[in-house]
Amino acid sequence: MAIGVGLRIGRIVSTAVVASNEPGTPDPVVIARDTVLHIDHDGNSQLGGSTRTVDEARTLSGFLSRVGDPGGIAASDGRVYRAEDAMATAVHCLLNECHPLPTFGGMDRDTDPGYTATYPSHWDPTRVSVLRAALDYAELRHVDLVSDAQGAATWYASEISETPGLLIGVYHVDDAGSTVTLVRSGVPAGKAFRVTAKGAPSPAAQLATALGAFGWMPDNLDAVVVMGDGLIARDRSHIQDIANSLATKLMVRSLVGPGPEQTAALGAAILATGFTPAREKKARIGLPPSYDRTDVLTGGFARLREAETDSEDDPPVAVATTTDSGPAREPSSRGSSASEVVDEDQKALTVAQATEPPAEPKLSARTYALAGIGAVIVVCLVLALML
């Protein structure tokens, strides 16, 4: 499998990433949309967009946190929907914008692309199964589900790590709180640790507590990936400060993933290409546009192909992070070429904004204890010989 599509429905921004693991193929393409469903009188839905159309009957938002709630969620006109059905509709809308898929990679060899969507790491199995059932009902059985933490850890294993199968800590912060997940060989180690924002301990304390629950220490971690969602994720300096504090207090490598809300979707796309974190060494497929230059591609790849044919005299495409510029069937006729966008992004992008800990050797308390015991034994032996 050479082409993978990763999807993530966030509280404010939803992201689709299309990537290929074939050598020489373009870097992943990111499509970002507001997490708002616009529904017309015929029941047709569009994800994102801020302009009210003549046919629009209602809008629906805030459904991510309500998945599994039997009370459902009310649209702008009062009509009540099941939140999991709204999630499935949002996934469907994102997938529509990814098609038709490009012909590079495996598509020209009649291999099927892979599709993977993520869900919040702190969800319990019941909420995940409810979402799975909604996707199946919406004829999206081909879309696999993984947690945000699995996506983030896969991104690290594919793009950064030199050794497969290591223990990765994922620190996810959002407007309601934070979640710590430990991922080993691509699989979460037990349940995630969720803390509400009010009165929460420091990020380092949260991670230390999660490690201690399994009998692990910070030395057991290969790295910590910091990611975010919601309004707080737009404050890149705050996210970077969290990474810095983890590196300083726990003496671990700490990185901010691309986006940072893009990290899980990128990892999902990498998983969808067939990458296996537990067995495969680093197999980079490239990074999406940088945090500050997320290009909202109205019309998906149709928009990208049109941009390639635009004249060089046209002004650069407008850069946005959360707003759609119009219906998906009406792509903009102006924009810079794809090669120009990629070149600018490569100049602006720094790989994961890594924060390296100090280079001094790390000695744990256990090491000091063993050294002390050894010294006592030596002294006793010397005294025995003298007597």
Side-chain angles (χ1 to χ4, degrees):
M1 186 181 301
I3 290 183
V5 179
L7 306 157
R8 181 178 185 275
I9 306 301
R11 192 177 73 86
I12 294 179
V13 177
S14 296
T15 309
V17 176
V18 181
S20 173
N21 61 6
E22 286 289 302
T25 54
D27 283 348
V29 173
V30 175
I31 300 172
R33 292 288 178 265
D34 290 337
T35 307
V36 180
L37 284 171
H38 298 263
I39 307 170
D40 64 22
H41 293 280
D42 294 327
N44 300 315
S45 301
Q46 174 187 320
L47 184 66
S50 57
T51 304
R52 182 179 177 88
T53 63
V54 176
D55 295 331
E56 182 177 290
R58 63 193 67 90
T59 59
L60 187 62
S61 61
F63 42 83
L64 174 65
S65 61
R66 302 291 293 275
V67 169
D69 186 344
I73 186 168
S76 58
D77 64 347
R79 182 174 299 190
V80 177
Y81 290 83
R82 296 199 330 158
E84 49 271 22
D85 290 340
M87 281 280 289
T89 301
V91 169
H92 190 272
C93 291
L94 273 179
L95 283 178
N96 284 342
E97 297 213 44
C98 295
H99 288 275
L101 291 174
T103 57
F104 60 66
M107 293 299 288
D108 57 357
R109 294 202 299 271
D110 297 325
T111 58
D112 294 329
Y115 301 90
T116 301
T118 70
Y119 57 84
S121 302
H122 65 276
W123 278 11
D124 57 34
T126 300
R127 296 181 76 177
V128 177
S129 63
V130 166
L131 177 58
R132 178 73 270 172
L135 291 174
D136 292 347
Y137 183 79
E139 299 183 353
L140 295 173
R141 296 179 179 85
H142 57 289
V143 178
D144 296 326
L145 285 175
V146 298
S147 69
D148 285 339
Q150 286 176 274
T154 299
W155 164 79
Y156 176 81
S158 171
E159 304 297 310
I160 307 296
S161 178
E162 299 290 346
T163 306
L166 296 176
L167 179 65
I168 309 299
V170 179
Y171 186 89
H172 179 280
V173 60
D174 54 53
D175 299 327
S178 54
T179 305
V180 175
T181 311
L182 302 175
V183 182
R184 191 173 195 177
S185 300
V187 179
K191 64 180 292 185
F193 292 78
R194 178 70 175 175
V195 178
T196 57
K198 185 177 181 179
S202 69
Q206 294 177 48
L207 185 58
T209 300
L211 288 167
F214 296 97
W216 288 326
M217 301 180 65
D219 286 349
N220 297 118
L221 285 171
D222 186 54
V224 179
V225 178
V226 181
M227 57 181 295
D229 185 36
L231 293 175
I232 196 171
R234 310 316 302 166
D235 186 355
R236 179 57 182 252
S237 62
H238 177 68
I239 303 297
Q240 188 63 53
D241 286 343
I242 293 175
N244 294 341
S245 68
L246 290 171
T248 302
K249 295 180 180 179
L250 298 182
M251 300 287 289
V252 296
R253 186 183 193 188
S254 185
L255 312 95
V256 176
E261 66 264 269
Q262 295 175 6
T263 311
L266 177 59
I270 295 171
L271 279 173
T273 66
F275 180 81
T276 306
R279 296 194 302 270
E280 298 184 39
K281 293 184 179 180
K282 183 170 67 177
R284 296 192 63 185
I285 65 171
L287 294 172
S290 66
Y291 180 83
D292 297 319
R293 296 190 58 79
T294 300
D295 182 17
V296 179
L297 299 177
T298 303
F301 276 95
R303 162 72 165 77
L304 182 62
R305 295 190 184 97
E306 182 179 273
E308 293 177 339
T309 61
D310 285 346
S311 65
E312 296 182 357
D313 295 334
D314 283 344
V317 63
V319 174
T321 54
T322 60
T323 56
D324 193 342
S325 57
R329 294 189 181 90
E330 299 178 3
S332 171
S333 61
R334 300 179 68 84
S336 62
S337 68
S339 61
E340 291 171 344
V341 173
V342 170
D343 288 342
E344 291 177 5
D345 288 332
Q346 288 175 342
K347 294 176 182 177
L349 183 62
T350 56
V351 178
Q353 300 294 327
T355 302
E356 297 290 350
E360 289 81 10
K362 296 181 286 185
L363 297 178
S364 65
R366 182 174 55 184
T367 302
Y368 286 112
L370 291 175
I373 294 172
V376 171
I377 292 174
V378 171
V379 171
C380 292
L381 290 175
V382 172
L383 292 174
L385 291 175
M386 292 177 64
L387 295 176

